[in-house]
Amino acid sequence: MQNTKSVDELKYPVFKTYMVQISMQQPWKIRLHLEDREEKTIFLKLANQIIEEILSGRLSSGSRLSGSRSLADELKINRKTVQSVYEDLEAQGWLISKPRQGTFVAENLPELKPKKINAVAEPNPSPSTTSPVPIKNDGIPDTRLIPYELFSRAYRHALIQVTRSQIMGYGDPQGSIELRQALLQMLSMERFIKTTIDNICVVRGSQMGIFLAARVLAKQSSPRKVIVVEQWSYPPAIETFLSHHYQVVRVRLDQYGLDIEHLEEILEKHAVAAIYTTPHHQYPSTVTMAMDRRLKLLELSKAFNFYIIEDDYDHEFHYDSRPIPPLISLPHAEKVIHIGSLSKVFAPSLRIGYVVANRDIIHAMNQDILLIDKQGNIITELAMAELMQQGEIKRHIRKMRKIYQQRRDFALNQFQSVFKDQVEMNSPLGGMALWVKFKFPYRAEYAELLNQLHIDAEAHFAEQGQQLNEHFHIRFGYAAINETEISNIIRLLYDAFQPDD
């Protein structure tokens, strides 16, 4: 074979490495100027400035950016701000980080026309600010912020893997071993849950997990035909329990979560098969159940021999303190059926959820899955497993947590600024929605706008026939909309409600 190395490379082994390093260096360092920009925060000023320099050609594909420390010193800003901007633009596809080399402008840019970021990390233009958002605005993720390039790569790898391994046939009803192993590590490290892959079942979203739990318990719990739900609760779960011929009994809520004393009264009167609860961020009121109540609930489960269906639908998004450990991680959790989902991390259409429970429950669920979902979704499961194992999902969650917290704070301020003393709400510790109390009666004419905005009022979550008198609540999702959209929607609500001044 002909040797294609140059004479200098053959004589000097370090020559090639040296030339690569020289080629990555730039003779001139681009200067950035932030003082005259109109954005409100340093983060937005710097992010938009870099995007504009890329689109103008001053920063061409492959160009190396200054290190975070040197750029922070040059601009006299915090280094963490520079690091956050770099991480955010890398996630959007503008930049790429190379270990031990630096941060570079990506070769394949995400878009070809200039635009500014209106809130933290918004990769696509906002929907029209004069028309309602075309989504269910009850606390869903912003699908515009999905790292599509990472998704595409993971799906390609998964497709190649299943093709080469000839595993395009029926999958394991319990879910792929790769995804269950990735989930096991996450649950252990992030949620204090001690379990095994045999106690984990992959499902198509949390709703399928709720359905399977109801179906399995309906077979096991006869003559127990009562399921307890919270005063306000998740309507699809209620419909699921009713479809399995359960009697649904509601337990009161307060600022600390489920009212344990009221629950004890219910347990004395009814043969309860299970209680369905959303303790981390109660749906829809966003309240976090206090630890003493969690422990007492588990003690009651053991004493009265009922199951707890724990719907932990958005555990990842907790802002002001460390998340409280889920029920299944605490003592006396033998009868807890823990349901989680990755849909709140990326998009509702992802349809990847999981159930953690004792092996009898998991085995019974597997038998039912064979009846309704024998094929499974091996490609998506392998793709998600890869993203989890590589740390990409954790990184995306960390990025989204910052964005959603900023949107929560902005929405709180906007409601208080626009409605003033006509509105009351607590700042939720986490989650993706606000539970907003209006201090005036609900009127029938409000329904049209709320339906257009895909916002649900209190009656949607309450027992049928409940009357709204002196005040009412709405569940306002802030995660899927940016600050401009938040402002416009709140103004539309104010104009429609026209509260007394």
Side-chain angles (χ1 to χ4, degrees):
M1 176 181 289
Q2 183 179 359
N3 195 323
T4 58
K5 290 187 177 181
S6 68
V7 174
D8 286 326
E9 287 180 276
L10 293 171
K11 290 173 62 178
Y12 306 103
V14 298
F15 179 81
K16 185 176 181 180
T17 301
Y18 174 75
M19 290 304 296
V20 170
Q21 291 174 342
I22 289 294
S23 67
M24 292 191 302
Q25 296 176 0
Q26 296 173 209
W28 303 101
K29 182 169 67 172
I30 191 168
R31 298 291 182 180
L32 300 176
H33 185 69
L34 305 182
E35 282 78 3
D36 297 331
R37 298 196 63 87
E38 61 185 16
E39 293 89 348
K40 294 181 180 180
T41 67
I42 297 298
F43 180 100
L44 297 178
K45 290 176 187 283
L46 179 57
N48 283 326
Q49 179 73 41
I50 292 175
I51 291 174
E52 290 177 7
E53 301 300 352
I54 293 173
L55 293 171
S56 70
R58 288 189 72 212
L59 279 172
S60 58
S61 294
S63 297
R64 184 179 186 275
L65 276 69
S66 300
S68 59
R69 188 184 302 278
S70 61
L71 184 57
D73 291 341
E74 176 186 335
L75 298 176
K76 294 181 173 54
I77 62 177
N78 193 298
R79 184 188 179 194
K80 290 184 178 180
T81 301
V82 178
Q83 291 173 326
S84 296
V85 168
Y86 280 6
E87 290 175 359
D88 194 78
L89 296 184
E90 182 182 354
Q92 294 186 46
W94 294 102
L95 305 179
I96 183 170
S97 177
K98 299 180 181 180
R100 298 183 297 277
Q101 295 182 26
T103 302
F104 299 81
V105 178
E107 295 291 338
N108 299 313
L109 300 178
E111 58 182 69
L112 299 176
K113 59 182 180 179
K115 69 163 216 52
K116 293 182 180 180
I117 301 177
N118 294 320
V120 184
E122 312 254 299
N124 293 325
S126 302
S128 168
T129 57
T130 60
S131 62
V133 288
I135 54 176
K136 189 67 172 178
N137 191 19
D138 74 334
I140 63 172
D142 193 337
T143 58
R144 297 168 295 187
L145 303 182
I146 291 176
Y148 292 103
E149 291 185 2
L150 293 176
F151 259 52
S152 177
R153 183 189 67 196
Y155 271 92
R156 285 198 305 270
H157 292 170
L159 185 58
I160 292 170
Q161 181 179 345
V162 298
T163 302
R164 289 178 176 174
S165 304
Q166 298 183 344
I167 53 175
M168 289 289 282
Y170 294 124
D172 187 333
Q174 198 167 335
S176 71
I177 190 70
E178 292 87 353
L179 181 54
R180 284 188 286 140
Q181 287 175 334
L183 288 168
L184 177 66
Q185 184 178 24
M186 179 197 73
L187 294 170
S188 174
M189 301 298 290
E190 299 286 334
R191 305 195 189 180
F192 319 100
I193 298 175
K194 296 179 180 179
T195 188
T196 72
I197 59 172
D198 293 330
N199 294 84
I200 299 173
C201 179
V202 176
V203 292
R204 307 295 155 248
S206 58
Q207 181 60 32
M208 181 175 173
I210 295 169
F211 178 89
L212 289 170
R215 181 177 171 86
V216 168
L217 295 183
K219 297 175 183 178
Q220 295 184 355
S221 58
S222 182
R224 293 172 179 253
K225 288 298 181 181
V226 172
I227 284 189
V228 178
V229 303
E230 289 151 333
Q231 174 184 345
W232 299 301
S233 193
Y234 184 49
I238 304 296
E239 293 301 319
T240 297
F241 301 137
L242 292 175
S243 73
H244 286 86
H245 308 292
Y246 281 106
Q247 177 187 353
V248 173
V249 176
R250 298 194 181 240
V251 61
R252 288 192 295 265
L253 289 166
D254 60 25
Q255 68 269 32
Y256 302 108
L258 184 149
D259 186 331
I260 292 294
E261 292 184 1
H262 187 214
L263 176 62
E264 289 180 295
E265 295 175 10
I266 294 172
L267 293 171
E268 294 292 346
K269 297 178 182 177
H270 300 279
V272 173
I275 178 168
Y276 170 79
T277 180
T278 50
H280 198 59
H281 302 129
Q282 200 279 328
Y283 188 96
S285 71
T286 75
V287 173
T288 297
M289 188 187 296
M291 178 57 77
D292 61 333
R293 295 198 180 186
R294 293 175 185 239
L295 296 174
K296 183 62 177 178
L297 175 60
L298 290 165
E299 291 177 4
L300 291 174
S301 170
K302 186 175 182 179
F304 286 86
N305 194 32
F306 63 86
Y307 278 89
I308 300 172
I309 304 173
E310 178 182 27
D311 188 351
D312 202 10
Y313 62 95
D314 66 354
H315 187 98
E316 294 79 10
F317 301 111
H318 210 74
Y319 312 128
D320 298 325
S321 62
R322 289 183 60 83
I324 297 178
L327 293 169
I328 198 169
S329 69
L330 300 173
H332 308 302
E334 294 82 6
K335 298 183 78 67
V336 174
I337 301 173
H338 180 89
I339 300 172
S341 174
L342 295 180
S343 299
K344 293 293 185 181
V345 176
F346 292 112
S349 60
L350 181 62
R351 310 319 303 151
I352 288 287
Y354 51 89
V355 178
V356 184
N358 66 55
R359 295 193 183 184
D360 289 340
I361 293 291
I362 296 297
H363 177 74
M365 286 186 174
N366 289 343
Q367 300 305 306
D368 286 335
I369 288 173
L370 287 172
L371 300 177
I372 60 174
D373 192 30
K374 187 175 182 180
Q375 179 65 41
N377 193 344
I378 185 65
I379 295 176
T380 296
E381 291 179 17
L382 290 177
M384 290 303 103
E386 176 180 315
L387 292 175
M388 294 181 75
Q389 290 162 354
Q390 293 179 350
E392 296 292 356
I393 288 184
K394 183 175 181 179
R395 184 169 178 271
H396 180 71
I397 290 171
R398 188 164 57 243
K399 174 189 168 204
M400 292 299 98
R401 191 179 291 134
K402 295 178 182 178
I403 295 172
Y404 294 161
Q405 181 175 4
Q406 180 173 344
R407 292 180 181 181
R408 178 203 63 176
D409 295 343
F410 182 82
L412 284 166
N413 290 334
Q414 284 296 108
F415 267 111
Q416 292 166 347
S417 174
V418 172
F419 282 91
K420 298 182 171 56
D421 60 354
Q422 296 283 358
V423 71
E424 179 181 309
M425 62 199 134
N426 294 320
S427 176
L429 297 177
M432 307 165 84
L434 301 177
W435 188 237
V436 184
K437 176 182 177 181
F438 297 99
K439 298 181 180 179
F440 46 86
Y442 180 84
R443 298 174 184 171
E445 56 264 33
Y446 298 164
E448 182 177 356
L449 177 65
L450 290 174
N451 287 336
Q452 291 177 358
L453 296 174
H454 300 272
I455 295 175
D456 288 318
E458 176 181 341
H460 179 71
F461 310 102
E463 192 168 9
Q464 189 172 8
Q466 176 180 316
Q467 298 297 315
L468 301 176
N469 297 313
E470 298 179 357
H471 62 260
F472 70 100
H473 295 82
I474 65 169
R475 181 172 168 89
F476 182 87
Y478 54 78
I481 50 179
N482 64 31
E483 292 184 0
T484 299
E485 294 161 346
I486 289 171
S487 294
N488 288 331
I489 292 172
I490 292 175
R491 177 53 62 178
L492 285 172
L493 291 173
Y494 181 81
D495 293 341
F497 291 171
Q498 297 180 343
D500 298 329
D501 294 328

